[in-house]
DNA sequence: CGTGCAATTGACGTGGCTCAAGTGGTGTGG
DNA sequence: CCACACCACTTGAGCCACGTCAATTGCACG
């Protein structure tokens, strides 16, 4: 989530996060062909938009550095954030169905992206089974993540939503080779609350509570996770391979 | 959502919902090849499971008739329903990432499915661009739908969640050529509440309120939408091509 | 006809929203 | 370098929507 000012000519080959991204499992030849269709442009500044709702879909975007939020706007003009994107994430899968961009995507800080023209990607993926598979996998991941968020949001208490949120972020940082216990948030409390369906004030109060419990240390945007276990306990969600018990939902 | 007892040998060719499903845009030859890999088995009875969490992914499932719910189970053994599936829906996209089934999928009523071995589908889709495209499209749709649900659930009030739920169902029935204003729910109030993150009692109370307002007629599982416009008004979500306004979220 | 689950309705308590005030950090212009 | 404005964030007070608990009714099925 820190800015990584890089030169304009960078290839997938020497990209530090390629194992999270489309190149995963691609051999050198395939990688070069993928690389050839990717456009890398100058950095996006905080607040710049990748796309706006309704525009025709031309490219997917892979985050190289920095971070983005995507959100929809409802009848009343209210934002509803549907995801935060970190380096290695692909943005735009929701837009494939209609071939127009769904919602808005906006940089949360200075960020770099790789732009992948969708038509080229589609035809290339027909020639490269590994690429094809990786696209399916990334889309599948996104569905999983959305459903995970849904569970978090549906598990009533604001405490468990926030705990889940931080654990989620933590594991995403870990996968990216960053510290899972200390990180800087690129989003405001407001945006966190929006994402989780709670108000800023509640976010703030619960952060204070977590801090009092010594589960977290909070210094503005800096988060230090002190007691992952307690957070997991109250987060309640995401047990993998959990045996099906008699439920009273 | 009504049971449609069919013979065992049915092809995509004469399937009434093929335009919602994988066959969409496939020519006759392609259709036959797809048809050849699909297995059609005897009906699932209410409560039968398509798959359980952690099992190796072998097939995707297309709902032919009836309906299913998919859900996860958290640490405390609580169900969290992530989607209801109607005829034409594909089930199993979340499971592609890990190649093991994510969560559980269970019939809500007597239902028929087409079982599509994943390996075969994958190799076939490399040969048939139209099939490939349709898979992407369906996955993209699923992501969109999840995010739509998320918006509904995050839009605080229980009223707007329920309104959104019924409008969503209504439009899904309409797409399927069924009445958008009169339909039968195959899920319990409990399951609706679970899905939307509210309690049974609240579902029940709000249904009574909607009925008092003459927006709906409710007779047990039968729903009759009387005033779609009012429901849309309080649902608040899903404005397509809505201009971005100054927001105070 | 009895058993059991689904649904409704009421009474009550509370978590989180709303409104409001205050603090701190950052950028801008004098 | 300070003064000011602006925004993100925190904290408090009060209130209400919704969760919890409990009782009742209705419907399906053996």
């Amino acid at each position: 989530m820190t800015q990584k000012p890089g030169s304009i000519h960078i290839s997938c080959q020497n990209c530090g996060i390629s194992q999270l991204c489309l190149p995963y499992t691609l051999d050198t030849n395939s990688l070069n062909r993928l690389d050839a269709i990717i456009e890398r442009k100058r950095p996006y500044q905080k607040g710049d938009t990748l796309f706006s709702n309704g525009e025709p879909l031309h490219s997917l975007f892979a985050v190289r550095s920095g971070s983005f939020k995507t959100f929809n706007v409802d009848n009343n003009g209210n934002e509803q954030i549907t995801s935060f994107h970190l380096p290695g994430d692909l943005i735009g899968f929701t837009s494939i169905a209609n071939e127009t961009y769904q919602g808005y995507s906006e940089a949360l800080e200075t960020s770099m992206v790789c732009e992948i023209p969708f038509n080229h990607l589609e035809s290339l993926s027909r020639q490269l089974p590994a690429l094809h598979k990786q696209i399916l996998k990334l889309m599948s991941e996104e569905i999983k993540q959305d459903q995970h968020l849904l569970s978090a949001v549906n598990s009533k208490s604001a405490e468990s939503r926030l705990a889940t949120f931080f654990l989620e972020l933590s594991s995403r940082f870990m996968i990216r080779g960053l510290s899972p216990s200390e990180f800087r948030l690129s989003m405001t409390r407001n945006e966190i609350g929006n994402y989780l369906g709670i108000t800023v004030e509640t976010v703030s109060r619960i952060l204070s509570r977590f801090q009092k419990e010594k589960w977290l240390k909070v210094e503005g945007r800096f988060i230090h996770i002190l007691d992952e276990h307690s957070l997991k306990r109250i987060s309640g969600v995401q047990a993998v391979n959990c045996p099906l018990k008699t439920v009273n939902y």
Side-chain angles (χ1 to χ4, degrees), chain A:
Chain A
M1 247 152 170
T2 59
Q3 181 188 355
K4 187 196 282 182
S7 69
I8 297 301
H9 285 100
I10 299 167
S11 73
C12 291
Q13 306 245 25
N14 54 31
C15 178
I17 48 167
S18 64
Q19 78 289 352
L20 298 171
C21 190
L22 282 175
Y24 182 70
T25 73
L26 258 54
D27 60 39
T28 312
N29 176 40
S30 304
L31 202 54
N32 287 334
R33 295 179 66 186
L34 174 61
D35 211 61
I37 67 169
I38 293 180
E39 300 167 19
R40 299 181 177 84
K41 302 186 174 167
R42 55 170 174 55
Y44 286 77
Q45 298 302 322
K46 175 175 172 157
D48 290 351
T49 59
L50 284 177
F51 55 75
S52 293
N53 193 33
E55 293 173 6
L57 168 71
H58 55 87
S59 296
L60 301 183
F61 301 90
V63 182
R64 258 194 78 69
S65 66
S67 53
F68 290 80
K69 64 173 173 182
T70 58
F71 57 95
N72 292 304
V73 175
D74 73 11
N75 297 333
N76 314 315
N78 298 316
E79 258 185 60
Q80 169 59 54
I81 297 174
T82 52
S83 29
F84 295 114
H85 304 278
L86 304 186
D89 288 340
L90 254 77
I91 304 178
F93 286 139
T94 34
S95 310
I96 294 177
N98 299 3
E99 302 193 14
T100 58
Y101 285 112
Q102 291 296 312
Y104 306 81
S105 200
E106 190 181 309
L108 292 173
E109 58 193 318
T110 307
S111 305
M112 301 279 290
V113 301
C114 299
E115 195 172 327
I116 310 159
F118 183 64
N119 287 339
H120 292 166
L121 179 65
E122 220 183 0
S123 58
L124 189 60
S125 82
R126 279 201 291 277
Q127 298 161 43
L128 307 177
L131 178 60
H132 173 76
K133 192 154 192 168
Q134 181 64 358
I135 293 174
L136 288 188
K137 186 165 176 174
L138 289 173
M139 293 187 78
S140 174
E141 290 281 5
E142 175 150 348
I143 298 175
K144 254 175 70 184
Q145 193 183 313
D146 284 349
Q147 294 188 352
H148 184 225
L149 172 61
L150 186 66
S151 298
V153 165
N154 264 358
S155 66
K156 295 147 295 217
S157 97
E159 278 199 351
S160 59
R161 296 185 202 197
L162 261 177
T164 307
F165 177 73
F166 286 118
L167 292 173
E168 176 86 17
L169 266 188
S170 168
S171 80
R172 288 171 75 190
F173 284 124
M174 187 161 64
I175 292 170
R176 283 158 180 81
L178 303 170
S179 167
S181 60
E182 293 177 66
F183 46 83
R184 190 187 153 277
L185 302 172
S186 60
M187 64 292 281
T188 66
R189 305 277 195 270
N190 229 322
E191 287 164 333
I192 296 173
N194 179 295
Y195 182 65
L196 297 174
I198 53 186
T199 58
V200 210
E201 294 94 329
T202 303
V203 172
S204 192
R205 271 185 260 272
I206 288 178
L207 281 183
S208 303
R209 209 181 301 164
F210 281 179
Q211 224 172 169
K212 203 175 292 168
E213 300 279 355
K214 301 245 183 295
W215 295 347
L216 290 180
K217 203 170 80 187
V218 182
E219 286 171 333
R221 298 278 182 101
F222 274 96
I223 301 292
H224 193 156
I225 295 184
L226 301 173
D227 185 351
E228 185 192 351
H229 190 269
S230 294
L231 290 175
K232 274 190 179 147
R233 187 168 38 75
I234 68 154
S235 104
V237 283
Q238 187 81 335
V240 189
N241 295 337
C242 170
L244 185 54
K245 296 198 292 182
T246 323
V247 286
N248 60 331
Y249 50 94

